[in-house]
Every structure is written in structure tokens, then in C-alpha cells.
Amino acid sequence: MSRSRSFMFALLALGLGSVGCGGPNHQPVITAGPRPLGSPSTPGGLKFEEGTVIQLQLEVTDEDNDEIFFRWSQNPANTGGVFSDPHIATPTWTVPAPLENPNQTIHLIVEVEDGNGGVLVGQSPAIYILPKQQ
């Protein structure tokens, strides 16, 4: 076997060479959300009463059909809202008690990753918290 053929064989055996093996990884794409399911698309944000359990909407596609991983959080982080499971596409989120400043908003953030280097971040519309009606 010639020296160049031996070198190519070694690269392929080690998985370092590629001969027509797939193309580059495509980043996941958010096609709907992240937002509370059924919430109107109104400027200025959304208002929810404390204690309300909100179903979140998120639809993601991945051209490579990679497994998708999710990580939900809220900003500011210390507001007290609770996700049913921050690692699924469509958790519920329980609205916390009103913030000290009634004009301060909360944003729900989702990080979407395909496990092959494709990462993107989505953010909900601004959320305002209303005191619970007696």
C-alpha cells in the first residue's frame, strides 16, 4: 500500500477524515413561542394574576432531526415563579407574587440546544404581575 493511501486509511479509521459524511450541523429554529399559550400578540406586555398557572408554548424544528434539549429560566431570576419542569419544551409556569416595583417585568427565557453545537435563546413578551383578586 502506498504511503498516501496508508495515511488516508489511518485518518478514516480514526474518524478524522470525512468522505461525503453529512454536512455542517444546522441550528434549531423556534417556529412558535416562547410565550404563554393563547396569549394575545399585544404591544406592551402581558398581565397575569399571581398564582395563575400558565401553559407555555414553544415549537422548535431541527433540520438535522437532532435531539433537542431545553432549559427554561426567568429574568430576573429571583422573582419566585416556578416551572413545572424547566427541561421540557412546554412546561407550565406559576406566576409569583407581585414584584416590589409594579412596573418591573419578568421575561421567560428558553435556551434550546441540539447537542451538536446548535444553540439559540428565545424570550417571552414582557410579563407584568397583578395582585390576586379577593
Side-chain angles (χ1 to χ4, degrees):
M1 190 181 297
S2 75
R3 183 176 165 96
S4 64
R5 288 176 105 181
S6 297
F7 180 71
M8 180 58 117
F9 178 78
L11 282 176
L12 291 173
L14 292 171
L16 300 174
S18 63
V19 179
C21 296
N25 183 54
H26 296 88
Q27 187 165 304
V29 175
I30 294 176
T31 57
R35 65 183 305 111
L37 187 63
S39 61
S41 295
T42 56
L46 306 169
K47 297 177 182 177
F48 293 99
E49 187 176 285
E50 75 176 287
T52 302
V53 177
I54 298 168
Q55 177 65 59
L56 298 176
Q57 174 189 23
L58 179 68
E59 294 176 21
V60 178
T61 61
D62 184 89
E63 188 175 326
D64 307 308
N65 293 318
D66 294 328
E67 183 178 5
I68 304 294
F69 303 92
F70 305 93
R71 187 170 32 256
W72 286 89
S73 61
Q74 54 197 345
N75 186 22
N78 61 349
T79 59
V82 177
F83 292 97
S84 59
D85 181 344
H87 301 288
I88 62 173
T90 56
T92 60
W93 182 70
T94 303
V95 179
L99 305 176
E100 275 187 42
N101 177 353
N103 295 319
Q104 183 178 5
T105 62
I106 294 175
H107 286 92
L108 304 180
I109 313 292
V110 64
E111 185 177 325
V112 180
E113 182 177 351
D114 71 3
N116 288 309
V119 178
L120 66 103
V121 176
Q123 176 177 291
S124 73
I127 295 174
Y128 294 89
I129 302 170
L130 303 172
K132 191 169 195 152
Q133 299 296 314
Q134 305 281 340

